[in-house]
Structures are given as structure tokens and as C-alpha cells.
Amino acid sequence: MTKSFPEVDVVIVGMGWCGGILAKELSESGMKVVGLERGATRTVENDFSVPHIRDELEYHARTGLAQNLKKETWTVRNQISETALPMRKYGSFIPGDGLGGSGVHWNGQTWRWTDMEFKIKSNYVERYGQKFIPEDMTIQDWGITYAELEPYYDHFEKIAAVSGVAGNLNGQIRNEGNPFEAPRKNQYPLPPLKQSLACDLFTKAAKDLGYHPFPIATANASAAYKNPDGIQFGQCQYCGFCEKFGCESNAKGSPLNTVIPVAMRQPTFELRTNSWVTKVLMSKDKKQATGVNYLNTVTGEECFQAAKIVILAAFGLNNTQLMLTSGIGSVYDPVSQKGLIGKNYAYQTGANANLFFKDKIFNPFMSAGGLITVMDDFHANWDFDRSPQNFIGGATIWGGFFNGRPLEYHPTPPGTPSWGSAWKESMATWYQKTMRIAANGSVMPNRYNYLDLDSTYKNAAGTPLMRMTFDYKPNEHRLSTFAAGLIDQIGKSLNPTMMTKPAPRVTPWNAAVYQSTHNTGGTIMGTNPSNSVVNKNCQSWDLHNLFILGSSVFPHNSAYNPTGLLGALSYRTADIIKTIYQKNPGKLIT
Ligand SMILES: Cc1cc2nc3c(=O)[nH]c(=O)nc-3n(C[C@H](O)[C@H](O)[C@H](O)COP(=O)(O)OP(=O)(O)OC[C@H]3O[C@@H](n4cnc5c(N)ncnc54)[C@H](O)[C@@H]3O)c2cc1C
């Protein structure tokens, strides 16, 4: 029998950055909030102490902080003609599980997405004409503007202790930062991390070629810092255990050491971990969400939590899955191009090269999640003419590395055997003497890239797995080829002893190799109910008391990492719920 809990004001599914921000903001305003997290409770003190948290086998090789694929995974394929098979081992992307979600083991690199993305279709049509957009590319304007998000970006950067340097402060261009960024009202709360030799080399090479490199902004605190909620950060120790690991020195901005503990101080907030949400329930007329069903994974009990507002914040992919399994909205069909849930799934592309210098020592074991120097000349720079390259989107190019961990990082020159004594010797020779130049590239949505439910495979709760159909399309092949050319140009200008050839991603997407956990689309944002699942307030067009927070609302993917935008959207949505929605509950916010 299902155990029912009395109705609360808000139930939030998932306790990562998005869920944590909403939980903190809404409970603080006096609303009674329940946060449901499928994974376990954890704290920095109990779970991230040294030496345990530096266990590479546990956290890198066995992806100890990621979703447990034995309980829940995805089936994947490149084309609709193929049979999708379950991802049984990570993997292209590694979404988190447990309190704090992926925000616990992210790198921290933080970008502000701008009107270049939010008005993507209008921008390209205006500049290049409608014919420039491939017929099967389903880009659309988002309906939100940078101006609406600016104060919320600012707040998120302060909460997460983002270290960086402004490139456009109130319209004043400053070349030490990103000169192509949109105007920001304030500096970052902390200065950039100390740059490494690899960063310095990249900076010099890029500048000499006329580009505009700058230290990436990242939620790795460059100094001890107290955020506006009174949370104390330690200074980044450059330990190199950032991506895929928790931070023991409270130097990485994570929901686990910021918004979640602040929410937990509120008597109006209740956290329930080990609570795996399986379905959003609706009223008979299907116009309202009434609450969620979840499984208590400790006791095995089926539970129902009633709520006036339901917020999905379970990571983009899981948000989409919950919409599909709950039967909310119309399922997207790539053949008829009807339906919306699952539409516009996108990912990112890239290219990279290793540069080997016999006369340099890089000390790669000293690093941080955002210890890279990056340039935005071929992405946010709208003066960059895409017509000769014939692609939509762009790529950021960076130099440096995030880690030099012994199990994960062993660069060897081309031609080195992949095991045995020759490999060991080469690794010992080059470990200290290698740096990386790489590109992060955008991926535009395509009618044949989408998410739906698999008809064969089920998860541990007996719900169908979500099926991912994805491949890079010619637009992305051209972009990645262009980015590989830039890497080649910058790398060669440094005159390394040896360099690997920067290979563009022009072969089918490979689910087995880690690329990034920047999966977007599935419950997209747009200007009206015929082109989108949510409006610019992340509010469902169908059920006005349902809000969706996560990268599933992005109608396309940028070269930028997603979390800066997620933070801003979460703070903005919380504000809208508190100040507008609560005055007219159940109404569409226009
Ligand atoms: C290794 C790595 C490095 C990254 N580096 C960067 C970076 O440098 N910059 C950047 O911008 N982004 C980065 N990201 C991406 C970033 O972590 C995510 O964009 C961000 O954390 C997503 O926040 P979220 O709140 O949407 O989801 P999450 O943080 O994933 O939180 C979702 C939570 O929901 C829970 N959940 C899921 N399904 C259910 C369910 N059915 N019931 C109950 N709970 C559920 C999950 O367990 C999880 O705790 C990185 C990600 C990874 C994995």
C-alpha cells in the first residue's frame, strides 16, 4: 500500500545545484518544501576527508559519485534504424547521484550564456539568411534574454565562489578577461586561479596569433572567501582531484557546501534522501500536478508526496525521463516531427591534442577543475564570420589540464605501445612534459537526435529506460574540423618537440569514451506551447504548477558549460515563484 504524506507547498525532485537553490530560496520565504533525493545523504566532513577522497579507483575508475548504472541507465544508439543497447559501464557522461548531485564532482567552470544563444535562430537568419540553417536542424529562440538573467548570474557566481576576471564590466572591455562576453554589472567575487606554465604558454601563443585568451572563470575559490549566505570557503589547494571528486577543503562551489546546508537550517525544509521519484501524478483533468510517487530505497515502501507545486530538478536527462514515464505532454516523433517531450536532445563536440616538450616541466599533479586558459574568439565573437566554414555554433579553445592523476593521466607520444615496458618508459619520460590544447564545441539540435522510452529494457524500479538516439551531424563535423585546425595552428606555434594530431569528431558518437556531462534538451524552453515544453520561467505550459529546472530546458547546446546558466535560471525561477506565481497560484506566468 502506498504511504501518503500530507500536502506541502513544494516538492522538489533531485538535490543538485538546481534543486538545492530552489529548496533554499523557497523554504527561506516560508513555503513548506520537501526535497526528494534518490541517492544517499553525505557531508563534506564525513565523506570527503583525505586520504579517502583521493581514491582514484573508487571515484574515477569506478565513478563512485555517479548514478548507479546497475539501477538506472540509458539505452543508446546513433541512428533510428539501429537497436539501442543499455550503457552498462560509463561512459560518455557521468551524472551524479546522492546529495549535491553532479555539482559535487563537477569542475566548476562557469560561463554566462547570452542572447547569442537565446536568440540563436533570429540571429542566424538575420545575418546569414534562412537557407544557412540546415533543414533538419531544429534550432529556435528561447524566449528569455540575457538582461533578465544578469542579476541571477551575478548571484550564482557569488554563492559558488567563482574565481575569474571580467572582460566586459558595464560595457567597458577589459582584455584580461573575455572581451566577447556580454556586459556584467560586477566583477567576479574572486580573482582568477594562479595560472600554470601550460596556461602561460597557451596565453602567449594565442595572443601572438591575435586571439584573446583569458583565465576561465571557475568555482574553485582562489582565496578563502565567505559567500553572501555566510558559507566559508577554503582556498583551492591545486590538488588536482576536482573533476569526478568531492573537495575536502571546501574550495569548490558545490550545492553540498552552499545552498543545501543553508536550506537545511530552515524549519520549513525537509530533506528525504534514498527517495527515488518514479512518477509525477496529475489531477483528473490533467491540468495540475498533484504530487509525486517515490520509492523509499531503504525500506522498499511506495510513497506519495502531495504538493501544490512540483519541481523537477533531477538532472536534464532524468527530468525528461520523468516527463515521459508520467505521460505528461506529447512524446516527440522524429518522423512526423510532432510532439515535444524528448525533442532537441543535444550534446557537445570537441577536439584535442597533446603537446610534448623535452625541455619543460609542467607539474600536472598540481591542478584544479578550472586551471585552464581559454579563448572565445570563435564562439561568442559574433564578428567571426561562419559563412566560409558553413556551420552554426562555435567552439572555445583552451590550454592547460584539469588533473595529472596517476590512473587517469598518462600522456604518451603517438606510436607508443599501449601497455608493457615501452609504455611505462614513455609515460615516465613524458608525464611531466606534456600539456593539452582542446576545444569545446556546440551541438545544434537535429530532428533525428532525441530521447524517448525504450520498449525493451527497464530500470530497477521497473520503469522503462530512456532511449537516447544521438549522432554528430555534418554541421558539427565541420565545426569540429575547424576547431581541430585552430588547435593545430596554436599548438604548432609553440614549437613542441612532438604533438598529437588534433582529430576532429567526425566519426559516430561513441558512448564509451568520457566527453562531458553536458547533456541538453528533452523538455525545451520556447516562446509558445506549440514549440516548447516550458516557458522562460521554466513553467510547464501544460501543468502550470509544474516547473522544470535543468539542462533539459535548453533548446540547443553551446560551447559553454551549462551550470552557470542553470544557477541563474534556478535563482530566477525561485524569484518568479515567490513574487509572481504565489500571488496567482495555478496561473501561467507571462
Ligand atoms: C565530471 C563532471 C564535470 C563537470 N564539470 C562542469 C563544469 O566545469 N562546468 C559546468 O558548467 N558543468 C560541469 N558539469 C555539469 C554539472 O555538474 C551539471 O550541469 C550540474 O551539476 C547539473 O545540476 P542539476 O541540479 O541539474 O543536476 P544534478 O546535479 O545532477 O542533480 C540532480 C539530482 O537529482 C537526483 N535524481 C535524479 N533522478 C531522481 C529521481 N528520479 N528521484 C529523486 N532524485 C533524483 C540525482 O541523484 C542528483 O542528485 C560537470 C559534470 C560532471 C559529471
Side-chain angles (χ1 to χ4, degrees), residues 486-503:
L486 289 168
I487 294 169
D488 202 45
Q489 179 202 33
I490 300 169
K492 282 186 177 146
S493 78
L494 280 167
N495 201 18
T497 312
M498 279 178 282
M499 177 174 163
T500 54
K501 196 171 158 38

Side-chain angles (χ1 to χ4, degrees), residues 2 8 33 40 50 91 101 140 143 147 153 158 179 195 215 222 311 357 369 377 385 393 451 480 491:
T2 303
V8 291
V33 180
V50 176
Q140 66 184 44
Y153 278 126
K158 291 190 166 107
Q195 299 295 280
S222 59
I311 297 178
F357 295 86
D377 298 62
D385 183 7
L451 304 166
S480 181

